[in-house]
């Protein structure tokens, strides 16, 4: 999936018509319409961002433009734009913010790059520089293009506090930190390790999330709240995993090499759970909040405690999708009666 055009976007000519003049002379309505349509067409062809979008130039990507022509549609990006337009009508004070962050861009990749660049900028690492980096990576990496859409879908479907795709894109630091990690991981794979580590540092400083760029994380991931999340260098997280705040996927000491947990697909890891060492968390497993996991966990098992022990098995759908990470009173009574 690549940068997608939206030919139905007609709000920009109206905005321009209220702000531009033709050499200060009065023109009849027909001439004004032609002029503004010409300005709009040139704007669309050049993909120039608005002044209050930091004057960021278009990504230098002929490949992305070619892919956009061949692509048939992007429903998630279409929904993001419609949500932004609706919110701008409800809250006019946010209209400039929503225009700069979403409506001025041609695709989800550009909008995301703009948002996270502005979140991570500092006096020595400018938003324009960061956006160039993010756009260059995302516009050329189909894997990231696919992942950012599955991730935003996971946030909307699994987090009841996420009102829409656009709210995840604009406000949720779990989504932001995950996507910056994806860029850093791509840079790490290209041998640009210093830049990848610089992005890791900024994620940690701004969002309170520490994900090593060498870690391997799948698609459709939810980082709920995300504060205090730590994922080590050799950790692996499968597809459709949900991690709550305060989770640690760490090592057990100063050893080098493969030393971090491997989390199977569909697992749910509760708040402040700590998983240490090169151990496997089976697919569709559920780790209760506050647990300390020091040994491998079987697939579809439910574990809790310090240290964590298996307290039951799951017959339902992936807990990462249902987000049910509390055992009922009846369940614990049943477990206690068996002992």
């Amino acid at each position: 999936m690549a940068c997608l055009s939206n030919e139905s976007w007609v709000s920009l000519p109206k905005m321009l018509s209220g702000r531009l003049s033709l050499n200060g002379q009065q023109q009849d309505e027909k001439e004004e319409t032609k002029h503004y349509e010409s300005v709009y067409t040139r704007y669309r062809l050049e993909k120039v961002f608005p002044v209050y979008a930091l004057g960021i130039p278009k990504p230098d990507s002929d490949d992305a433009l070619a892919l956009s022509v061949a692509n048939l549609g992007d429903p998630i990006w279409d929904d993001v734009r419609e949500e932004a337009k609706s919110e701008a009508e409800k809250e006019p004070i946010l209209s400039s913010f929503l225009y700069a962050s979403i409506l001025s861009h041609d695709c989800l990749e550009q909008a995301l790059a703009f948002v996270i660049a502005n979140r991570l900028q500092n006096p020595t690492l400018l938003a324009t520089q960061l956006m160039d980096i993010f756009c260059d990576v995302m516009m050329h990496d189909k894997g990231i293009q696919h992942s950012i859409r599955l991730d935003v879908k996971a946030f909307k479907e699994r987090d009841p506090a996420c009102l829409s795709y656009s709210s995840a894109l604009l406000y949720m630091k779990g989504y932001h930190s995950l996507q910056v990690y994806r860029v850093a991981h791509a840079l790490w794979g290209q041998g640009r390790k210093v830049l990848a580590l610089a992005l890791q540092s900024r994620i940690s400083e701004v969002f309170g999330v520490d994900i090593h760029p060498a870690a391997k994380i799948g698609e459709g991931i939810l980082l709920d709240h995300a504060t205090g999340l730590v994922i080590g260098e050799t950790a692996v997280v499968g597809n459709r995993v949900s991690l709550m705040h305060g989770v640690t996927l760490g090592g057990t000491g100063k050893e080098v090499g493969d030393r971090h947990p491997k989390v199977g697909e569909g697992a749910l890891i509760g708040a402040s759970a700590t998983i240490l060492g090169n151990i496997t968390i089976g697919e569709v497993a559920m780790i209760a909040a506050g647990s300390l996991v020091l040994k491998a966990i079987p697939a579809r098992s439910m574990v809790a405690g310090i240290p964590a022990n298996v307290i039951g098995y799951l017959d339902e759908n992936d807990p990462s999708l249902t987000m049910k990470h509390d055992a009922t009173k009846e369940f614990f009574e049943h477990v206690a009666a068996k002992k």
Side-chain angles (χ1 to χ4, degrees):
M1 209 171 285
C3 181
L4 306 172
S5 299
N6 186 349
E7 298 302 329
S8 63
W9 179 25
V10 296
S11 60
L12 183 59
K14 295 178 181 178
M15 296 178 66
L16 288 171
S17 66
R19 290 170 171 78
L20 300 177
S21 63
L22 297 175
N23 300 320
Q25 299 178 358
Q26 295 295 327
Q27 303 289 336
D28 60 51
E29 185 175 344
K30 186 175 180 181
E31 287 179 332
E32 285 192 50
T33 301
K34 288 182 179 179
H35 173 74
Y36 298 139
E37 287 178 348
S38 175
V39 172
Y40 174 56
T41 301
R42 187 167 67 253
Y43 177 96
R44 295 287 291 162
L45 290 175
E46 294 177 357
K47 293 185 174 64
V48 178
F49 293 167
V51 173
Y52 49 82
L54 299 179
I56 299 168
K58 65 179 180 178
D60 184 14
S61 175
D62 293 335
D63 293 340
L65 182 59
L67 285 169
S68 69
V69 174
N71 215 295
L72 298 178
D74 187 351
I76 289 181
W77 174 237
D78 291 341
D79 285 348
V80 169
R81 290 179 52 79
E82 289 305 314
E83 292 163 3
K85 291 175 185 177
S86 176
E87 291 305 317
E89 292 177 0
K90 294 176 185 177
E91 292 289 353
I93 195 171
L94 294 177
S95 59
S96 292
F97 165 70
L98 291 167
Y99 180 76
S101 301
I102 294 176
L103 296 175
S104 66
H105 304 288
D106 295 313
C107 59
L108 182 59
E109 288 76 15
Q110 288 180 7
L112 176 59
F114 176 84
V115 170
I116 57 180
N118 279 279
R119 293 296 303 272
L120 295 182
Q121 67 172 322
N122 66 16
T124 58
L125 197 55
L126 304 181
T128 50
Q129 296 172 317
L130 288 169
M131 183 157 181
D132 284 342
I133 294 167
F134 296 148
C135 278
D136 181 61
V137 172
M138 289 191 289
M139 300 298 281
H140 292 88
D141 191 318
K142 291 183 180 179
I144 291 181
Q145 292 167 14
H146 192 248
S147 295
I148 64 177
R149 288 166 172 81
L150 290 181
D151 293 340
V152 77
K153 193 170 184 288
F155 274 75
K156 184 173 182 290
E157 292 179 351
R158 298 181 216 164
D159 185 355
C162 182
L163 303 177
S164 61
Y165 292 130
S166 60
S167 64
L169 173 65
L170 293 171
Y171 311 122
M172 294 198 160
K173 67 178 183 179
Y175 184 71
H176 295 162
S177 57
L178 180 59
Q179 306 321 318
V180 181
Y181 148 77
R182 294 197 185 284
V183 173
H185 181 71
L187 294 170
W188 185 273
Q190 295 170 11
R192 303 174 70 183
K193 295 185 176 182
V194 173
L195 179 55
L197 292 171
L199 292 179
Q200 177 196 4
S201 176
R202 289 301 294 155
I203 298 170
S204 179
E205 292 171 16
V206 175
F207 302 129
V209 176
D210 195 349
I211 307 175
H212 195 283
K216 298 177 182 178
I217 300 179
E219 302 174 320
I221 304 298
L222 171 64
L223 305 184
D224 195 357
H225 297 289
T227 302
L229 177 73
V230 177
I231 299 179
E233 179 182 9
T234 61
V236 176
V237 178
N239 297 331
R240 305 186 316 281
V241 170
S242 295
L243 300 99
M244 308 299 287
H245 56 280
V247 167
T248 297
L249 304 181
T252 57
K254 295 173 64 177
E255 72 273 15
V256 296
D258 196 355
R259 61 196 183 279
H260 295 102
K262 312 295 181 284
V263 180
E265 293 188 0
L268 170 61
I269 304 180
S272 298
T274 299
I275 307 172
L276 301 178
N278 184 16
I279 59 176
T280 300
I281 307 302
E283 294 185 359
V284 200
M286 194 278 279
I287 298 176
S291 298
L292 172 62
V293 182
L294 300 174
K295 60 184 180 181
I297 302 301
R300 289 198 168 274
S301 62
M302 179 189 301
V303 304
I306 302 177
N309 291 301
V310 176
I311 60 173
Y313 289 88
L314 300 166
D315 296 324
E316 61 185 30
N317 296 329
D318 294 8
S320 65
L321 305 182
T322 63
M323 295 300 289
K324 291 181 180 179
H325 51 100
D326 61 329
T328 63
K329 178 181 178 182
E330 291 77 12
F331 178 83
F332 279 110
E333 288 176 347
H334 175 70
V335 172
K338 280 184 154 185
K339 291 186 177 181

